[in-house]
């Protein structure tokens, strides 16, 4: 592909990067939040367990609890959204870089 062919795609990629920045930042923040929330959820579940069970036993039961599994699924979804954005951003940046290279090559041939 030459610079002319890539120009429209590069423009769309630049718009995607610019207009999606806040959404992508929010997706990363959500994933980070859920990483910390999982720790809080384990602590909450362990604290709600009565008895003289060992900490390891309480942790095991907390990890098997439906509330923890829901939080884990929410984290998976948040991470999936984040990484989808990351890979789309990388693809957009690669397209822009290919356009820049094609422009440079075209200038060198003039």
């Amino acid at each position: 592909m030459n610079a002319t062919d890539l120009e429209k795609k590069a423009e769309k990629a630049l718009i995607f990067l610019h207009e999606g920045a806040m959404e992508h930042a929010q997706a990363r923040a959500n994933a980070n939040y859920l990483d910390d929330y999982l720790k809080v959820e384990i602590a909450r579940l362990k604290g709600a367990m009565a008895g003289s069970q060992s900490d390891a036993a309480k942790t095991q039961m907390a990890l098997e609890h439906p509330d923890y599994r829901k939080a884990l699924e929410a984290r998976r979804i948040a991470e999936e959204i984040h990484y989808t954005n990351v890979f789309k951003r990388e693809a957009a940046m690669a397209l822009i870089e290919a356009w820049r290279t094609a422009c440079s090559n075209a200038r060198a041939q003039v």
Side-chain angles (χ1 to χ4, degrees):
M1 295 185 111
N2 61 32
T4 306
D5 296 336
L6 289 170
E7 187 170 0
K8 289 287 184 193
K9 290 180 180 182
E11 186 177 327
K12 287 180 183 179
L14 187 60
I15 291 168
F16 168 77
L17 291 171
H18 180 71
E19 291 180 355
M22 290 300 293
E23 177 187 335
H24 300 166
Q26 184 64 52
R28 179 69 255 169
N30 290 344
N32 287 345
Y33 172 82
L34 286 167
D35 284 343
D36 291 335
Y37 179 74
L38 285 173
K39 296 172 192 170
V40 171
E41 188 64 4
I42 287 177
R44 182 189 70 79
L45 291 168
K46 286 169 56 175
M49 293 177 198
S52 60
Q53 300 161 329
S54 69
D55 185 60
K58 287 182 180 182
T59 299
Q60 184 62 35
M61 288 192 302
L63 293 174
E64 295 170 358
H65 197 279
D67 289 348
Y68 180 76
R69 291 187 183 247
K70 286 179 189 175
L72 195 59
E73 177 62 14
R75 178 178 171 242
R76 185 196 64 76
I77 291 168
E79 290 284 334
E80 182 179 331
I81 292 167
H82 166 66
Y83 284 112
T84 298
N85 289 337
V86 166
F87 294 126
K88 285 182 178 181
R89 290 177 64 80
E90 288 177 3
M93 289 186 284
L95 184 61
I96 291 168
E97 191 57 36
W99 171 73
R100 290 177 60 197
T101 300
C103 287
S104 178
N105 290 344
R107 283 191 305 271
Q109 292 176 359
V110 172

